[in-house]
């Protein structure tokens, strides 16, 4: 059985392919756990001692927010393995503003990864 012989067969195939191409090209739908891109949220400062010691890692934070997007509880779900990095991430997330959610009484928890990685050597003091 060949689809080309069906009535409207070609049209169905063409419209299906077009829909697939449009879906692939469209930006992904916003997830409720995303943070607001504007104004930008501050990056967590890299602790100087952690940088000097070469400490790197990702902190996975579990953040409860109000319907207007303000953090009300922050937990370290997965540690980076370094207390200084975990503390920097936790202190910074309190300053963030997330996308608002509907005020329907549901508790909204979000997972936020914060990566700490060294891309260049630490700045050296200059002597005058």
């Amino acid at each position: 059985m060949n689809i080309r012989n069906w009535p409207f067969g070609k049209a169905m195939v063409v419209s299906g392919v077009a829909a697939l191409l449009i879906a692939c090209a469209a930006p992904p739908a916003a997830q409720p756990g995303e943070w607001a891109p504007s104004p930008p949220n501050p990056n967590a400062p890299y602790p100087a001692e952690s940088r000097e010691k070469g400490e790197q890692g990702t902190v996975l934070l579990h953040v409860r927010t109000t319907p207007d997007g303000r953090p009300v509880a922050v937990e370290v779900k997965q540690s980076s393995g370094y207390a200084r990095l975990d503390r920097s991430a936790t202190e910074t997330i309190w300053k963030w503003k997330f996308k608002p959610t509907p005020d329907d009484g549901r508790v909204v928890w979000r997972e936020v990864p914060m990566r700490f990685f060294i891309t260049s050597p630490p700045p050296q003091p200059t002597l005058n």
Side-chain angles (χ1 to χ4, degrees), residues 12-109:
M12 290 174 62
V13 170
V14 170
S15 65
V17 169
L20 182 61
L21 289 173
I22 290 169
C24 291
Q31 298 297 316
E34 291 181 16
W35 40 90
S38 181
N41 288 313
N43 290 328
Y46 213 122
E49 191 173 349
S50 291
R51 186 179 176 90
E52 290 167 6
K53 292 184 176 190
E55 298 173 350
Q56 301 183 89
T58 300
V59 182
L60 183 59
L61 299 171
H62 204 203
V63 184
R64 181 177 174 203
T65 59
T66 61
D68 71 339
R70 297 281 176 201
V72 291
V74 178
E75 302 170 358
V76 175
K77 185 171 182 178
Q78 183 177 350
S79 172
S80 65
Y82 302 100
R84 280 183 292 272
L85 300 181
D86 296 351
R87 186 172 37 257
S88 178
T90 303
E91 290 172 358
T92 300
I93 206 76
W94 284 104
K95 300 171 188 170
W96 278 27
K97 171 87 167 128
F98 292 81
K99 288 185 179 178
T101 58
D103 189 7
D104 59 3
R106 287 183 295 158
V107 174
V108 177
W109 284 92

